[in-house]
């Protein structure tokens, strides 16, 4: 229904604007926008292509998540740009009806954007992104409900929505209220979400760590426990423990990319090497595919170049043809990547 109205409005707009389009003045200044739009279209088509490739499920989901995250970033950047120039000069006042219909359509679109079309701009983006927005919008209502009723379930609903919306202070406060009210010291979700926030304050970081550790003991199979434990260790200045926790999180939720950046940072801070698989995923898979099966760049699976170790090292360090060089990959890092890349053919 919503899409029908939207399509109808767009159609009317097109019909009305078509005759005036010859007089259109398109701004050439807005190159940033067109770049972003181009990137968006590219990402959307890459996402579409993904579904036609015969990849293992896990790989596909991982790749999909990456694309969706990039897409979300592009959409956000687009949102932040000033409104696009309409590109239309209404130089003919005789077109009053046209103007009226245009205004009607525009108000329908804009009004829709704020009300029942909440999600239309986010079409094709992961549910998580849309949900986060909805959560932000729901917060005031949930908060007043919780403070009115003082019902544990209402408080939890508010705490969860605040957490999902990235409002960690509000969320921690609510989880604290919840524990105070229920006196339930085995509420793992509340413990870890309160604990990780406490750990951001120097005075409470040790106590925060205690709470998150307790939550992991209570729910040893819950991935979020390890993710938050990782952050809490970082805040407590314990990088090795943090790394172990993030790795455990990724074991439990291999599709998630949430800890990848932390893992890479901690590894380099600790002077440890990323695995060849991670290095390939970070540096090569965007062009050569997640398994080296080929994408925008040729497949590596039947490439003779990767069987020759010296040639492979040379290609990575110096690039070849339109492939960029990776001079920063050297030493043990390069060894691990070379080994992994060669293993793709076995
Ligand atoms: C920006 C896209 C891009 C990235 C990133 C990239 N490559 Fe390439 N790669 C290419 C292109 C394009 C070619 C073909 C170059 C040519 O022959 O002109 C190529 C060629 C190669 C070849 C030679 C294949 C053959 O049989 O001739 C190897 C090996 C290779 N890449 C490995 C890697 C590795 C390993 C990484 C990660 C460190 C990587 N590439 C990252 C685009 C890329």
């Amino acid at each position: 229904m919503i899409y029908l109205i939207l399509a109808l409005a767009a159609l009317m707009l097109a019909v009305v604007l078509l005759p005036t389009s010859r007089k259109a003045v398109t701004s050439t200044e807005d190159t940033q926008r067109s770049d972003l739009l181009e990137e968006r279209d590219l990402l959307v088509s890459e996402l579409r292509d993904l579904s036609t490739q015969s990849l293992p499920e896990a790989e596909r989901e991982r790749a999909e998540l990456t694309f969706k995250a990039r897409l979300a970033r592009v959409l956000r950047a687009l949102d932040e740009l000033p409104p696009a120039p309409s590109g239309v000069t209404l130089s003919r006042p005789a077109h009053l009806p046209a103007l009226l219909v245009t205004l009607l359509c525009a108000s329908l679109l804009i009004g829709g954007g704020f009300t029942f079309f909440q999600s239309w701009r986010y079409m094709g983006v992961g549910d998580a992104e849309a949900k986060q927005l909805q959560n932000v919008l729901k917060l005031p209502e949930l908060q007043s409900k919780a403070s009115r009723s003082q019902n544990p379930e209402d408080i939890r609903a508010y705490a969860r929505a605040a957490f999902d919306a990235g409002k960690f202070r509000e969320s921690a406060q609510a989880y604290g209220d919840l524990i105070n009210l229920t006196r339930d010291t085995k509420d793992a979700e509340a413990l870890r979400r309160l604990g990780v926030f406490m750990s951001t304050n120097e005075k409470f970081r040790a106590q925060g760590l205690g709470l998150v550790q307790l939550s992991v003991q209570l729910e040893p199979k819950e991935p979020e426990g390890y993710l938050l434990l990782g952050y809490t260790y970082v805040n407590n200045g314990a990088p090795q423990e943090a790394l172990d926790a993030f790795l455990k999180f990724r074991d439990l939720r291999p599709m998630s990319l949430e800890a990848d950046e932390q893992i890479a940072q901690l590894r380099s801070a600790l002077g440890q090497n990323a695995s060849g698989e991670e290095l390939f995923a970070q540096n090569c898979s965007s062009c050569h595919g997640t398994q080296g099966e080929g994408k925008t760049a040729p497949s590596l699976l039947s490439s003779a170049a990767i069987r020759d170790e010296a040639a492979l090292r040379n290609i990575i360090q110096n690039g070849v043809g339109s492939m960029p060089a990776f001079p920063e990959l050297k030493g043990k890092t390069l060894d691990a990547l070379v080994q992994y890349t060669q293993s793709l053919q076995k």
Side-chain angles (χ1 to χ4, degrees):
M1 178 62 192
I2 287 166
Y3 295 119
L4 196 71
I5 299 174
L6 193 63
L8 216 66
L11 193 72
M12 279 159 77
L13 199 63
V15 167
V16 169
L17 294 184
L18 215 57
T20 60
S21 67
R22 244 164 283 149
K23 286 185 163 263
V25 184
T26 323
S27 161
T28 46
E29 289 158 1
D30 220 349
T31 47
Q32 201 187 356
R33 175 183 306 277
S34 64
D35 284 353
L36 284 169
L37 288 172
E38 209 172 285
E39 191 177 348
R40 179 197 66 186
D41 293 344
L42 190 76
L43 285 169
V44 168
S45 78
E46 278 185 294
L47 261 171
R48 212 175 292 134
D49 289 351
L50 262 185
S51 57
T52 59
Q53 286 169 15
S54 54
L55 289 177
E57 190 62 22
E59 290 297 340
R60 196 211 316 283
E61 285 210 22
R62 219 176 146 84
E64 250 177 36
L65 275 170
T66 316
F67 282 133
K68 283 181 178 171
R70 283 169 55 194
L71 188 59
R73 242 188 329 254
V74 170
L75 288 177
R76 228 175 292 134
L78 271 172
D79 267 359
E80 281 160 11
L81 285 178
S86 72
V88 176
T89 45
L90 289 166
S91 52
R92 281 174 289 179
H95 270 201
L96 195 62
L99 187 63
L100 282 178
V101 179
T102 311
L103 281 176
L104 188 78
C105 294
S107 57
L108 194 66
L109 281 170
I110 294 166
F114 286 110
T115 53
F116 47 97
F117 295 143
Q118 268 322 328
S119 57
W120 71 277
R121 287 180 305 163
Y122 302 96
M123 277 187 304
V125 178
D127 293 342
E129 191 79 8
K131 212 178 137 203
Q132 194 180 29
L133 254 151
Q134 282 166 6
N135 279 322
V136 175
L137 297 171
K138 270 191 322 204
L139 282 180
E141 195 190 317
L142 289 174
Q143 183 182 22
S144 67
K145 189 170 175 205
S147 63
R148 239 184 299 121
S149 76
Q150 285 298 308
N151 174 328
E153 278 324 298
D154 291 341
I155 299 178
R156 186 185 299 279
Y158 167 58
R160 274 189 183 155
F163 188 87
D164 289 343
K167 307 252 179 217
F168 300 119
R169 177 182 302 277
E170 288 84 343
S171 162
Q173 179 97 49
Y175 278 118
D177 290 349
L178 182 65
I179 296 175
N180 274 336
L181 189 73
T182 59
R183 304 261 155 222
D184 178 2
T185 50
K186 294 206 162 119
D187 186 338
E189 174 189 312
L191 291 174
R192 63 176 173 259
R193 291 178 170 192
L194 174 61
V196 70
F197 182 73
M198 284 170 68
S199 78
T200 60
N201 182 314
E202 212 178 320
K203 266 193 256 162
F204 300 113
R205 64 189 190 190
Q207 270 161 287
L209 180 59
L211 295 188
V212 184
Q213 282 170 330
L214 178 58
S215 104
V216 170
Q217 278 167 24
L218 290 165
E219 281 183 355
K221 293 213 163 69
E222 171 55 51
E224 188 189 276
Y226 297 94
L227 184 67
L228 299 191
L229 185 61
Y231 285 114
T232 310
Y233 273 128
V234 169
N235 292 338
N236 274 273
Q240 182 60 57
E241 287 80 358
L243 178 59
D244 293 344
F246 285 127
L247 288 172
K248 179 83 184 170
F249 165 77
R250 205 171 51 181
D251 280 350
L252 290 174
R253 201 179 276 169
M255 256 68 114
S256 172
L257 303 170
E258 271 177 286
D260 286 12
E261 203 172 310
Q262 293 291 331
I263 290 173
Q265 273 175 15
L266 286 165
R267 277 222 168 104
S268 81
L270 288 164
Q272 293 176 4
N273 292 301
S275 70
E277 187 176 0
E278 282 169 315
L279 289 164
F280 191 87
Q282 281 160 15
N283 298 290
C284 322
S285 64
S286 58
C287 297
H288 288 286
T290 44
Q291 303 289 320
E293 74 281 10
K295 207 169 158 190
T296 55
S299 163
L300 299 177
L301 299 181
S302 50
S303 157
I306 80 170
R307 264 167 267 151
D308 179 346
E309 192 181 320
L312 177 57
R313 283 175 186 272
N314 184 41
I315 289 174
I316 296 172
Q317 292 222 288
N318 302 311
V320 55
S322 53
M323 171 175 154
F326 291 84
E328 72 282 7
L329 297 176
K330 49 186 184 246
K332 285 197 178 133
T333 313
L334 182 60
D335 294 344
L337 176 62
V338 164
Q339 202 180 16
Y340 177 77
T341 309
Q342 291 193 309
S343 77
L344 290 172
Q345 284 193 359
K346 284 166 198 158

